[in-house]
Amino acid sequence: MTNNPEISLGLEGINIASTNLCRIDGVAGELIYAGYNIYDLAKNATFEEVAYLLWNLDLPDQDQLKEIKETFQSERVLSELNRHLIRELVNGNARPMRALEICVIALGALDQNSSDFSPSNLKVIATRLAARMPTVVAGFHRARQGLDYIPPRDDLSHAANFLWMLLGKEPSELEARVFDVAMTLHAEHEMNASTFSAIVTASTQSDMYSAIASAVGTLKGPLHGGANTAVYELLTKIGDEASIKPYIDELLDRKERVMGIGHRIYRTTDPRAVILEALGEEVAEESEERFYFDLSRKLRDYLGERLAGRPLYPNVDFFSASVYNMLGIPSDLYTAIFAMARSVGWTAHLIEQYANNRLVRPNAVYVGEESKDFIPLAQR
Ligand SMILES: CC(C)(COP(=O)(O)OP(=O)(O)OC[C@H]1O[C@@H](n2cnc3c(N)ncnc32)[C@H](O)[C@@H]1OP(=O)(O)O)[C@@H](O)C(=O)NCCC(=O)NCCS
């Protein structure tokens, strides 16, 4: 140990891996998936194409896209174990992210090949997780309302099928496209708390299911994926435009944080928030539920004044809350939806990790007492 060991709290600024998957330029506000700009992918690619890209580092041709869509379809149906667990979890009043965490582990329990780390088997598991997580979330939401599980439909895209299974209503073309893009925007984000926790788990040569369950648990916190639900709660607490200033002034005076604002890497603009705001406007034009979307914009404007000069801007969660609200999605599912989409990025990083594994084992600097005399129990 050196005399003055450096400690990097929060691992800020530490590179822990090289990756072909994602590059973020936090100053330019740029997000790149495997060489493709997020603006191009959001405009031109479906979520299935993005999933293929992240797992294979190349966009699919037509046959490859057909094949991955068929694999998604064949992996969507809920297992009997998941259905049973969902019933029990609903009976126990479990929250959606906890239910998802448990159902991910249950998928692993049923897979005899979970420890086969060959790239081809890892892609099978990755597709299974990405395909099945939406069915779990939708099935859980139906069950807690006392409603029957709606089986997946093969004629719908991954995004449209989720909305169908969740709401029992076929989404409009616009709703399906907006949700598809939202999934793409959440699919990958280089290194971050949940991806790191997946990598730590996999680095011990534990399997992909356990690694993804670790990631789901890490995403749950309000400083990470939990922020989108927290944004919705903030909007409902603010309530109307006139209350924005007094509410936010008081919150900031108490040194609390505004959810959906700020990012460790983006210091100017988060391109995902820009894309979501534009999509939100398209949905709002057709929606009777545009109230919170409009309130989000007013809130953004006021925060722009109040936090001027500080690198604090809307992040991806800021507009996801009101966009999902307009799509009719209950607010306590927002983080689970983030997890469904991010499962693709997590598993893509795990494919890289298993191919070039090294046990993650950092150090801690001991600052406690030394050389204490042991006192027998009877004398303490
Ligand atoms: C995302 C986040 C954790 C990144 O934080 P970070 O890079 O570690 O920034 P720090 O915690 O070092 O904060 C730096 C300063 O900005 C302030 N700050 C950061 N985010 C803030 C927010 N959302 N609202 C108000 N102030 C904020 C901090 O209070 C701190 O102020 P100080 O220097 O006066 O103490 C942080 O911005 C945050 O908590 N945001 C809200 C939660 C959220 O939306 N998370 C989703 C991220 S995609």
Side-chain angles (χ1 to χ4, degrees):
M1 193 191 291
T2 60
N3 285 339
N4 290 308
E6 208 172 288
I7 297 175
S8 180
L9 276 184
L11 297 182
E12 193 166 351
I14 306 284
N15 297 321
I16 66 119
S18 57
T19 179
N20 289 300
L21 296 171
C22 183
R23 183 174 69 72
I24 304 168
D25 183 330
V27 176
E30 227 175 47
L31 172 60
I32 309 290
Y33 289 176
Y36 294 93
N37 193 294
I38 195 66
Y39 284 103
D40 283 340
L41 292 172
K43 189 162 169 230
N44 300 308
T46 60
F47 180 74
E48 287 89 329
E49 285 173 273
V50 170
Y52 186 97
L53 170 68
L54 290 169
W55 290 328
N56 299 283
L57 301 179
D58 214 351
L59 285 168
D61 63 24
Q62 292 184 34
D63 289 341
Q64 288 162 333
L65 182 59
K66 184 168 174 284
E67 196 182 321
I68 194 172
K69 280 184 174 172
E70 285 168 1
T71 316
F72 265 104
Q73 286 158 9
S74 67
E75 291 285 357
R76 267 180 199 149
V77 183
L78 220 49
S79 69
E80 202 34 62
L81 177 57
N82 271 170
R83 293 178 77 155
H84 176 74
L85 279 171
I86 284 173
R87 277 194 296 273
E88 293 300 319
L89 288 162
V90 165
N91 287 340
N93 279 328
R95 312 275 301 139
M97 282 295 275
R98 181 76 70 204
L100 186 59
E101 210 174 346
I102 290 169
C103 288
V104 164
I105 288 289
L107 283 177
L110 298 179
D111 184 354
Q112 303 311 314
N113 295 325
S114 60
S115 296
D116 173 354
F117 300 145
S118 63
S120 60
N121 192 52
L122 290 173
K123 284 180 200 173
V124 169
I125 298 176
T127 318
R128 173 170 307 134
L129 284 161
R132 203 74 64 86
M133 284 165 71
T135 322
V136 166
V137 175
F140 175 81
H141 179 59
R142 304 284 299 176
R144 70 181 175 170
Q145 294 174 292
L147 298 171
D148 283 340
Y149 153 70
I150 299 179
R153 268 175 52 182
D154 287 352
D155 59 324
L156 296 177
S157 71
H158 186 67
N161 176 61
F162 171 70
L163 294 174
W164 160 249
M165 292 189 300
L166 183 76
L167 303 170
K169 177 174 123 338
E170 199 173 316
S172 70
E173 211 172 294
L174 174 64
E175 288 168 334
R177 179 167 62 80
V178 167
F179 190 67
D180 183 278
V181 176
M183 295 275 290
T184 288
L185 298 179
H186 286 84
E188 161 57 12
H189 214 228
E190 198 226 62
M191 196 50 61
N192 51 73
S194 55
T195 303
F196 181 60
S197 91
I199 284 179
V200 172
T201 303
S203 83
T204 68
Q205 297 212 326
S206 184
D207 62 55
M208 212 180 225
Y209 298 95
S210 291
I212 298 305
S214 304
V216 172
T218 306
L219 188 74
K220 181 154 60 72
L223 296 189
H224 193 8
N228 47 20
T229 297
V231 170
Y232 183 76
E233 283 163 9
L234 174 70
L235 292 169
T236 56
K237 281 184 194 153
I238 292 175
D240 57 28
E241 191 184 339
S243 306
I244 291 178
K245 182 175 175 345
Y247 191 96
I248 293 297
D249 287 353
E250 216 179 285
L251 186 145
L252 291 175
D253 288 348
R254 287 196 307 268
K255 301 260 174 253
E256 286 180 24
R257 290 175 179 223
V258 186
M259 290 293 122
I261 296 292
H263 198 276
R264 180 68 64 81
I265 306 294
Y266 294 116
R267 311 312 280 179
T268 54
T269 172
D270 179 339
R272 302 168 301 173
V274 175
I275 296 169
L276 272 172
E277 183 183 0
L279 288 173
E281 181 49 44
E282 283 188 55
V283 184
E285 279 165 19
E286 288 189 3
S287 171
E288 286 160 17
E289 303 289 338
R290 62 175 298 157
F291 178 77
Y292 286 120
F293 177 67
D294 291 333
L295 194 64
S296 301
R297 282 180 149 173
K298 302 275 182 206
L299 175 61
R300 184 265 321 270
D301 293 345
Y302 180 63
L303 289 168
E305 284 171 35
R306 178 66 216 251
L307 301 169
R310 305 186 64 189
L312 294 171
Y313 301 88
N315 57 47
V316 67
D317 297 308
F318 190 80
F319 284 108
S320 352
S322 53
V323 169
Y324 293 161
N325 177 249
M326 288 189 286
L327 295 179
I329 302 172
S331 61
D332 68 346
L333 296 184
Y334 297 170
T335 312
I337 287 168
F338 189 159
M340 278 157 39
R342 184 57 61 82
S343 66
V344 167
W346 288 331
T347 48
H349 279 278
L350 292 174
I351 292 168
E352 286 190 333
Q353 180 67 26
Y354 286 114
N356 190 19
N357 188 51
R358 180 154 171 82
L359 177 70
V360 178
R361 202 295 188 191
N363 300 329
V365 178
Y366 181 68
V367 294
E369 292 179 56
E370 302 277 2
S371 308
K372 293 168 84 176
D373 290 331
F374 185 83
I375 303 165
L377 183 59
Q379 292 163 32
R380 276 182 246 152

